[in-house]
């Protein structure tokens, strides 16, 4: 069973990006996309939660977040223990996974397992893993990514359809 949410995690639905802060994980484009999404959604914008091993690159990404005016909306939780990680999955509104280079994409399966809708890059192995259980986008295009975030946040029917397809897709693995 999921444990307690880690300190600093939002209680309301949020976009979740569980990834280390390596360059190919594409946090920069995600933050620009998130800013576009948040400007349009205003007070209704879901927060963005990032987890991953704290390092110097995470510090640079915090500076970018702050420079984009997102300090109150983009949360860095660092590395979290398994029970807290499960709690994050159980509360996430959607997985956003704009990685540019993946050999598989295990977080997509975790999202399917926890009943979380998915937005992912339309490149490398991600579309093959996700099948029709995901909104795929050009992760190099912040506008496309922001639009996918907007759609997921406001369309209950879309979320439900993606979750149902995710449960069905998970049986293939």
């Amino acid at each position: 069973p999921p444990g307690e949410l880690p300190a600093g995690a939002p209680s309301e639905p949020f976009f979740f990006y569980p990834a280390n802060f390596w360059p190919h994980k594409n946090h920069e484009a995600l933050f620009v996309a998130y800013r576009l999404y948040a400007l349009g959604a205003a007070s209704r914008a879901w927060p963005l939660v990032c987890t991953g091993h704290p390092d110097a690159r995470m510090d640079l990404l915090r500076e970018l977040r702050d420079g984009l005016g997102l300090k109150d909306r983009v949360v860095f939780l660092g590395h979290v223990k398994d029970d807290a990680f499960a709690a994050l999955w159980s509360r996430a509104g959607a997985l956003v996974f704009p990685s540019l280079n993946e050999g598989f994409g295990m977080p997509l399966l975790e999202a399917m397992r926890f009943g979380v809708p998915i937005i992912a890059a339309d490149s490398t192995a991600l579309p093959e893993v996700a099948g029709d259980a995901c909104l795929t986008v050009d992760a190099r295009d912040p506008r496309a990514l922001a639009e996918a975030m907007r759609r997921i946040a406001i369309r209950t029917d879309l979320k439900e359809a993606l979750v149902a397809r995710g449960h069905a897709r998970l049986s293939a693995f």
Side-chain angles (χ1 to χ4, degrees):
E4 301 269 330
L5 281 172
S11 57
E12 71 265 29
F14 54 86
F15 292 105
F16 188 32
Y17 192 22
N20 282 317
F21 302 103
W22 302 322
H24 73 274
K25 296 297 186 176
N26 201 26
H27 286 84
E28 291 86 351
L30 174 59
F31 289 3
V32 170
Y34 181 80
R35 184 171 191 275
L36 293 170
Y37 157 75
L39 286 172
S43 65
R44 297 178 318 276
W46 291 0
L48 171 62
V49 173
C50 299
T51 60
H53 181 74
D55 60 12
R57 191 153 192 293
M58 185 182 84
D59 294 337
L60 290 173
L61 290 167
R62 277 189 173 148
E63 289 179 25
L64 174 62
R65 172 202 65 186
D66 297 353
L68 290 170
L70 301 172
K71 186 173 186 173
D72 296 334
R73 302 302 294 166
V74 176
V75 179
F76 289 86
L77 296 178
H79 176 79
V80 296
K81 295 183 188 265
D82 289 347
D83 60 337
F85 197 59
L88 287 169
W89 276 117
S90 69
R91 296 298 273 287
L95 169 68
V96 59
F97 204 78
S99 180
L100 299 174
N101 187 10
E102 292 296 320
F104 186 74
M106 189 61 74
L108 277 62
L109 298 184
E110 290 175 308
M112 291 175 199
R113 178 175 163 251
F114 281 95
V116 175
I118 303 166
I119 301 167
D122 64 358
S123 59
T124 65
L126 298 177
E128 184 179 348
V129 172
D132 67 349
C134 174
L135 283 183
T136 55
V137 298
D138 178 352
R140 288 183 170 92
D141 181 352
R143 290 187 192 281
L145 192 50
E147 174 60 16
M149 295 168 85
R150 185 193 68 77
R151 289 177 61 206
I152 286 282
I154 66 171
R155 293 208 27 220
T156 303
D157 61 326
L158 176 60
K159 288 185 286 197
E160 290 171 355
L162 290 172
V163 167
R165 289 184 214 144
H167 285 305
R169 180 85 180 136
L170 192 56
S171 67
F173 296 94

